[in-house]
Amino acid sequence: MKTKEEWIDAAHAALATGDLAAAEAANRAALELDPQDAELWHALAMTAYKQGNYPAAIEAGRRAAQIEPNDGMVWTGLSLAYMKNDQIPEAEAAGAKAKVISWGGKVQFE
């Protein structure tokens, strides 16, 4: 059985070769071992985004934001996914949170 770090390495290797399905599978396997890892949820969100699956990207991004609400990259990724999913008010709200964090502020998941 692979460790979380081995699954993360497998996801990175799959991304490097453009195998998004394998990257998604490896990220999901790592999340089974640590479902509270915000970085893994963000990685899963970005993989879904690259696949054009914006609802899945939003769902995974929201999980990352719940766990780590003051990660600006999470909110930036959510903003992009919301925009691609034609959810403009949500995209603007997520982008504003990313901006507040970049200025040194704190935000809450709502």
Side-chain angles (χ1 to χ4, degrees), residues 72 95-106:
K97 288 184 180 198
K99 190 175 289 187
V100 167
I101 293 166
S102 76
W103 292 336
K106 302 286 183 194

Side-chain angles (χ1 to χ4, degrees), residues 17 21 26 53 75 77 79 83 90 100:
T17 62
N53 188 347
W75 290 108
S79 180
M83 191 177 313
E90 293 88 347
V100 167

Side-chain angles (χ1 to χ4, degrees), residues 65 69 71-79 94-95 97-98 101 107-109:
D71 183 331
M73 292 301 295
V74 166
W75 290 108
T76 299
L78 262 172
S79 180
K97 288 184 180 198
I101 293 166
V107 301
Q108 293 182 357
F109 180 82

